[in-house]
Amino acid sequence: MKKLALVGAVVVLAIAAWFASGWYGGAQVDEETAFIVPNGASLTSVAGKLEEEGLIGSASSFLLRAKILGSGDPIKAGEFLLPAGASNAAILDTFQHGEVIRRFVTIPEGMPSVLVHDALMAEDLLTGEIPVPVEGSVLPDTYDFERGETRVAVLARMQRAMDEALAELWPNRSADTVVSSPAEAVVLASIVEKETGVPEERRMVAGLYSNRVSKGIMLQADPTIIYPITRGRPLGRRIRQSEIQAINDYNTYSMVGLPRGPITNPGRASIEAVLNPAETDAVYMVADGSGGHEFNSTLAGHNEAVQRWFALRRQRGEM
């Protein structure tokens, strides 16, 4: 009897070991593999999908072992990365406690909404349609997303980020700002964003345009001529005289004050610059050939700077 009992115990241990090895031993994940758990999927349907994709040997075996040896925690929806040689136990733990694969889309500072739309529509891993967002409603930044996420959801995060940034920055504005609302701040910041690519100049450019607004001088910002023509896409040619003289709600060569709305999506730094502009007497600026600008408070000084710029361009063969 003792011998039979011993044999029985050995058999039981052998079965238990076999059962456990089927759970904790390597599965059939030959190489690192991305696997999607659909929204609302049950463990049963996921097991079937794993078997169909050849990542486990048997869905029924996986489910039985999961019930006895696995955690009872719910599985999460999303895309997961299964490492090569992952066991059945590791697969379940990944779905229950692992990190969903995140992908990223970057909206650079000064990207107009038509190009934000293009960027989101070009992301093949996103789903659904979106309209072109309202200009100035998106905060430029890098945003993460999951495979299969809707473009509407990603765009909503971008727009919520802009709302949150304005809510944070507006109360800290200086008394020197000329804008009277967060909406006006975005409008003026969009011009600052398009007028300089030098981060250190933003507050100075904001100060210059603030002076022009305060003094009732036309802003005369070239990007405001182009915006109503292209809605932010590159013009691809020189601005025509008729376009400089065009009367519309954006062209600051034919109107005093701010345009009717933003001409791009300004970044946080440009909004901060408008809300805290540099103290300056400057009302003129012209390119200095280094990527930045020379600023002047008098027309005579500005005209001299323009001549220096023209001379440099002739030297470069640009004129």
Side-chain angles (χ1 to χ4, degrees), residues 125-147:
L125 299 180
L126 293 173
T127 62
E129 299 286 328
I130 54 167
V132 174
V134 174
E135 199 70 75
S137 68
V138 168
L139 184 69
D141 204 344
T142 295
Y143 296 87
D144 65 347
F145 66 90
E146 297 178 25
R147 178 194 289 264

Side-chain angles (χ1 to χ4, degrees), residues 113 134 139 194 211 246 308 319:
S113 285
V134 174
L139 184 69
K194 297 298 289 186
N211 289 341
R308 285 191 291 273
M319 293 182 65

Side-chain angles (χ1 to χ4, degrees), residues 22-27 55-57 61-62 65 86-93:
W23 183 243
Y24 296 108
L55 298 173
I56 61 174
S61 175
F62 179 90
R65 287 175 167 84
S87 65
N88 287 336
I91 291 173
L92 178 60
D93 183 66

Side-chain angles (χ1 to χ4, degrees), residues 23-306:
W23 183 243
Y24 296 108
Q28 296 179 205
V29 186
D30 296 329
E31 58 184 20
E32 191 174 66
T33 303
F35 183 87
I36 299 172
V37 176
N39 284 319
S42 66
L43 184 57
T44 299
S45 65
V46 168
K49 191 166 179 276
L50 285 166
E51 182 179 344
E52 288 175 10
E53 296 187 15
L55 298 173
I56 61 174
S58 165
S60 58
S61 175
F62 179 90
L63 291 168
L64 176 61
R65 287 175 167 84
K67 185 174 183 180
I68 297 173
L69 300 174
S71 164
D73 294 342
I75 59 175
K76 301 185 293 186
E79 184 181 12
F80 299 89
L81 197 61
L82 303 179
S87 65
N88 287 336
I91 291 173
L92 178 60
D93 183 66
T94 297
F95 296 160
Q96 291 172 325
H97 311 118
E99 293 294 325
V100 174
I101 296 175
R102 310 297 300 188
R103 290 178 167 79
F104 300 91
V105 58
T106 297
I107 304 301
E109 294 172 331
M111 176 179 275
S113 285
V114 289
L115 298 185
V116 172
H117 176 268
D118 289 354
L120 289 176
M121 293 305 298
E123 286 290 346
D124 294 336
L125 299 180
L126 293 173
T127 62
E129 299 286 328
I130 54 167
V132 174
V134 174
E135 199 70 75
S137 68
V138 168
L139 184 69
D141 204 344
T142 295
Y143 296 87
D144 65 347
F145 66 90
E146 297 178 25
R147 178 194 289 264
E149 191 171 2
T150 65
R151 293 182 175 89
V152 168
V154 177
L155 176 58
R157 286 204 298 279
M158 295 175 172
Q159 293 177 318
R160 186 165 58 249
M162 176 60 90
D163 292 340
E164 291 170 353
L166 290 171
E168 176 192 344
L169 298 175
W170 179 251
N172 299 318
R173 65 193 182 279
S174 76
D176 296 327
T177 186
V178 295
V179 296
S180 59
S181 68
E184 284 191 356
V186 174
V187 174
L188 186 52
S190 72
I191 296 175
V192 171
E193 193 73 77
K194 297 298 289 186
E195 284 285 32
T196 181
V198 179
E200 296 78 12
E201 278 193 351
R202 287 189 178 107
R203 292 188 64 235
M204 188 66 178
V205 173
L208 181 152
Y209 281 123
S210 296
N211 289 341
R212 282 183 162 253
V213 170
S214 298
K215 296 175 183 293
I217 303 172
M218 290 182 181
L219 298 186
Q220 294 185 321
D222 289 2
T224 65
I225 301 173
I226 299 170
Y227 184 77
I229 303 169
T230 68
R231 294 294 162 178
R233 297 189 188 278
L235 183 60
R237 56 170 172 77
R238 296 175 69 90
I239 298 172
R240 296 170 182 151
Q241 188 62 37
S242 60
E243 293 164 344
I244 296 174
Q245 297 170 347
I247 297 174
N248 55 57
D249 292 333
Y250 287 95
N251 183 10
T252 56
Y253 276 80
S254 61
M255 63 183 289
V256 174
L258 299 176
R260 63 172 294 185
I263 59 171
T264 195
N265 290 290
R268 182 186 180 95
S270 289
I271 297 171
E272 287 180 311
V274 164
L275 296 179
N276 295 277
E279 293 185 17
T280 177
D281 294 329
V283 288
Y284 301 100
M285 69 178 183
V286 67
D288 63 6
S290 68
H293 294 84
E294 182 176 334
F295 299 88
N296 277 281
S297 59
T298 66
L299 181 58
H302 174 64
N303 288 337
E304 290 176 5
V306 169

